[in-house]
Amino acid sequence: MFAAFPLLALPVLIYNLLALTVGGGFSSDAASYRFGEQLFRIHMASRVDWIVSWGDLLLGASLIVLFVELLKSTTSRKVAIVNHSLSMVLFIVCLVELLLLPAFATSVFFLITLMVLLDVLAGFIVTIVAARRDVDFGEMR
């Protein structure tokens, strides 16, 4: 049953927890500030500092999760259909949050929503292509 769970729900859940529980209210400015805060800095060979924020870290982790989701979408088991359906529900939830809640009107959440959409599209496209390959039409005359 764990295979049916869309893993991109984890970054969405983390964003929800950080955006709605940490002080600063539910405004877009407070969320943008919160996700833009410096987490750490790395001194680069070019003698400049690379500043990594909470939003950068969340987006990087989301990209890794998206890669795993894309690998999961290549399976043709029945549980993949449930995964695609739950991913569609997750996309609808993300879209509603993005459009209606001020704390979610940030670039970080928009990019996470875009990743969820790509997961939905890739899952359905891979399933359709795999189903077309499995169907044998016989000899055409």
Side-chain angles (χ1 to χ4, degrees), residues 66-129:
L66 176 63
F67 176 73
V68 172
E69 277 292 315
L70 291 176
L71 291 178
K72 279 177 42 179
S73 71
T74 60
T75 63
S76 60
R77 297 180 295 162
K78 292 179 184 178
V79 73
I81 302 299
V82 175
N83 179 279
H84 301 328
S85 302
L86 291 175
S87 293
M88 177 62 85
V89 170
L90 179 64
F91 172 69
I92 293 169
V93 168
C94 288
L95 189 61
V96 168
E97 287 179 335
L98 179 70
L99 295 175
L100 299 179
L101 300 175
F104 295 86
T106 64
S107 295
V108 172
F109 193 73
F110 170 75
L111 291 172
I112 292 173
T113 303
L114 188 60
M115 288 180 215
V116 173
L117 174 63
L118 290 174
D119 175 40
V120 169
L121 292 175
F124 284 120
I125 289 170
V126 167
T127 302
I128 289 169
V129 169

Side-chain angles (χ1 to χ4, degrees), residues 38-42 50-53 57:
Q38 176 182 332
L39 184 59
F40 57 88
R41 79 177 48 217
I42 300 172
W50 172 28
I51 298 172
V52 179
S53 67
L57 191 65

Side-chain angles (χ1 to χ4, degrees), residues 16-65:
N16 275 281
L17 289 173
L18 288 174
L20 299 177
T21 59
V22 178
F26 300 121
S27 72
S28 177
D29 293 336
S32 292
Y33 176 76
R34 201 170 307 129
F35 286 102
E37 286 181 319
Q38 176 182 332
L39 184 59
F40 57 88
R41 79 177 48 217
I42 300 172
H43 189 69
M44 305 298 287
S46 61
R47 298 178 192 241
V48 296
D49 287 339
W50 172 28
I51 298 172
V52 179
S53 67
W54 284 104
D56 298 333
L57 191 65
L58 185 58
L59 286 174
S62 299
L63 283 170
I64 293 169
V65 171

